[in-house]
Amino acid sequence: MSRFFRGGDDSSSESSSDEEELYSESEEEQLKDNQVDDSEEESEEEDEESESESSDSDAGAQKKGLSRFLVEASSESEESDVEGTTKVKSAKDKRFDELEATITVIQNGQKINDWGSIANEFDKLNRQVIKLQDGGKAPKVYIKCIAELEDFMNETLAKQKVTPKKMNATNARGLNAVKQRIKKNNKDYQDQIDAFRKDNDSFMESDEEEAPVVKATKVKFQAAAAEAPAQEDDEGFATVGKGGRALQFTPESIFKHLRTILESRGKKNTDRLEQIKIMEKLYEVAVTPYQKIRVLMTLVSARFDLGSGGATSMPLEHWKAAEKELGLLLEILDAEKDHVVIEGAEEWDDDEKPPVIEKGEKYIKIPGSVVSYIERLDDELTRSLQSIDPHTSEYIDRLTDETSLYNIIFRGLLYYEAIREDASLEVPQESLNRIIQRRLDHVYYKPAQVVKILEDNSWKNVSPKVDSKITPRSQSTEASQLINILCNYLFENSEGIIRARAMLCQIYFLALHDEYYKARDMMLTSHLQENIANFDVSTQILYNRTLVQVGLCAFRKGLVYDAQNTLQEICGSGRQKELLAQGVMIQRFNQVSPEQERLEKQRQLPFHMHINLELLECVYLTCSMLLEIPLLAQTGSSPDVKKRVISKTYRRMLEYHERQIFTGPPENTRDHVMQASKALAAGEWKKATHFIHSIKIWDLMPNTESIKAMLAKQIQEEGLRTYLFTYAPFYDTLAIETLSTMFELDSRKVSAVVSKMISHEELAAALDQVTETVIFRKGVELSRLQSLALALSDKASALIETNERTLEQRTQGSTNAFSRKDGRQHGGQRGGGQRGGRGGARTGGNTQRQAGGTQFTGGALGAAVRG
């Protein structure tokens, strides 16, 4: 080490020894007194504060001695500097200064009416005063501040009622926050506030001796130790709250615990399961109906929070517990008629005393929504069923919970009917509509026998004296009558989406029970097909399901054309899974975001609500076969007939099947239909019938034998039409008896089919009833050239009509379409006369247009064709 550093060390040691000699005996005594005072203050504080205070007091003492030495050495320093450097504050004094600074900010906020800053500083003030309380008493400046703040708040609220000018949003939020918190906060210091308001000056000047904190802590410790054994559970453990104290559950402390739980709801690091256990114990000690209702509502909400994530569903045991607690809630509300849970009721803020029925009132109103709880319970069951494999026994076990859920919905409807009778409660009609819609959603897709069982179980669980005005006990035994009552009620009392869904549910139910004509008429008169795109996705899915069910009903009735026409929109798109919400289609070139994929999965229907897609495809292809094969035969034999396509999907499959070099025996539904189509086109109707009957999916339909008999009859008739279309050019006459024998049909049925084909101008023939023969006319078929000429005429007519429509759209139907703004014609004098003549003809007296919107007559070609 260099001599410089060594010298510095020596000088510093010498100076420190000199400083020690300069301390006087009086100063040392004073230091000892300060240390004694600090140790007394440390004993009054908590363990955490004691460590910080001891370090502060020691540092302050050293600084004090050193500063005095420096002051004596420098005679030029002023007295004010001495005071600034020698002032030592304990941690308690520092906290008191912080409290006063916060009070000053609040007072400044009152002067400028800044409730946003007042609300923030009020929370900060309450946190600071906790560390300054001695024996349960708060500092007097704090009492003065909160008392004046409450008076100022009351004045502001009174001014707001008579002042038309409204506060801005920030001030209004701050005022509401202070209003909610100050009433609860001031209850803890009510005695001191009353003393302050009685005499301000004497309260602030009085210097009362406060009880030692040590004794208070001992009493609290003893009380906590006495409470702990009372709350021990079976295993010898007790529920411990913040600070290590055992929680005490008494009827008086229920609302304080609920308030704490509600304030911590939604925050991070909140143990929801622990809160649920606490509320279960609170329900055990609840005595009054009001306490039970409040605890049950908070408990059900806390259980729903467990399934609030988008990916996971609510745990099974908590769903069952929530369903049981909702049942208890409805039982209490049914027994205690003076307690009602309605939306929009004012919340009771007093946690010390329960509410009572005021004069002129008949009910204790509790804010809440029973229908929201029921809807959430229903949604959680649906999410649970979506996440379970439908081919396991677990799905069947979970599906049995639908009975208990339907019972809750039924009892909720009875409750809303009861409180709707009193007009003073002002229960909104929408709540009743929502719960009726939920009840309808659980019965519209079920067979009548299942609906009857659900209704019987629901009525058994209520008192025999109870009856419903909307769905009386006597009229709800039959499923069709129940559906009709529920839907008619929603038709009359709702609008928008709920009304549309009710109509679709009734159409679906009618189609499911083979009432095709009623379902079809309701679908057409509702005009939903015109504006269904304006509704939400779930309603569009219900519309698609209803459309498919109507098509299947038409097929069961033997109405092949109606069935194919109805199913064309859904089955012809190739997106049946997606449109019916029965699966997510994976498209090759379409990128789906994770958010869209999550929404798609949420919209999926549970498996027990699915419509069998294989059966749907089988019905659609069979109907397309019965319509397309005769049409193909007619097009092939008559070149003048326009090539019309009924089902592009079926045509594509048929062409692919015909291109196959080797076709083995049919394996699936599609193969069976294609083989049957090939046989029917060749006139082998028995073989076609055999292929169609071999499809095993028909066993899933009710009345399987009648369906197969209907299909055999349809194949015979379409085989007859195909035969006549194919071989008509080769016959002069054909006996009805021959056709009857060939297709094993009654002669009267053959005559009816032939007569229908002749009347529709599909067959150029005449029916001789005397000899019972079909006489075919020869020479009426157009040649190849004539057919092409007519096709050219039609295309030219369509082209001119399109041009005229385009011209009318651009010129908005004006007469001087070919004139410029200055009145001159296009192209100058060239062709002007012709254009003018043509224009005169257009704008002359003969302005009436021909039928069809075009005046094209075909010219010489059209005259030649007509001649």
Side-chain angles (χ1 to χ4, degrees), residues 153-343:
M153 181 197 70
N154 293 331
E155 292 176 6
T156 307
L157 291 173
K159 289 179 183 178
Q160 284 295 313
K161 292 181 180 178
V162 297
T163 305
K165 187 177 180 181
K166 294 183 179 180
M167 283 185 174
N168 58 36
T170 306
N171 267 2
R173 283 196 298 268
L175 179 60
N176 290 333
V178 174
K179 178 184 174 183
Q180 292 173 359
R181 297 169 191 161
I182 198 169
K183 189 175 181 181
K184 175 188 173 184
N185 180 73
N186 288 7
K187 288 177 187 176
D188 300 335
Y189 313 103
Q190 195 61 45
D191 296 337
Q192 290 178 276
I193 293 174
D194 293 340
F196 169 78
R197 286 177 174 165
K198 188 175 182 181
D199 192 352
N200 302 354
D201 298 332
S202 61
F203 177 80
M204 297 302 294
E205 292 174 0
S206 64
D207 190 12
E208 300 176 354
E209 294 183 359
E210 297 177 349
V213 183
V214 178
K215 294 182 180 179
T217 53
K218 287 181 180 178
V219 172
K220 288 182 179 179
F221 178 76
Q222 292 172 0
E227 292 171 4
Q231 296 299 327
E232 289 182 355
D233 56 12
D234 298 337
E235 299 179 358
F237 295 98
T239 305
V240 178
K242 293 182 178 180
R245 299 185 181 92
L247 296 177
Q248 183 181 12
F249 303 115
T250 60
E252 293 78 17
S253 66
I254 285 177
F255 299 123
K256 288 185 178 180
H257 288 298
L258 289 180
R259 177 77 61 182
T260 305
I261 292 171
L262 288 174
E263 288 176 354
S264 64
R265 185 181 177 190
K267 294 182 179 179
K268 291 183 177 180
N269 301 325
T270 302
D271 192 349
R272 295 172 179 171
L273 294 176
E274 185 63 30
Q275 290 182 347
I276 290 173
K277 292 179 182 178
I278 292 173
M279 284 185 284
E280 287 175 348
K281 294 180 180 179
L282 291 176
Y283 182 74
E284 293 175 0
V285 300
V287 178
T288 63
Y290 179 77
Q291 290 176 342
K292 293 181 179 179
I293 291 172
R294 285 287 305 275
V295 172
L296 284 174
M297 291 174 63
T298 312
L299 182 55
V300 172
S301 300
R303 292 192 191 279
F304 286 147
D305 288 343
L306 295 175
S308 57
T312 59
S313 59
M314 189 174 174
L316 176 59
E317 61 274 8
H318 287 284
W319 189 93
K320 289 182 178 292
E323 181 265 326
K324 182 180 178 182
E325 286 149 7
L326 264 181
L328 291 174
L329 176 63
L330 291 171
E331 285 180 5
I332 295 172
L333 293 174
D334 187 37
E336 305 293 335
K337 300 294 185 183
D338 53 351
H339 290 71
V340 292
V341 176
I342 57 174
E343 301 174 13

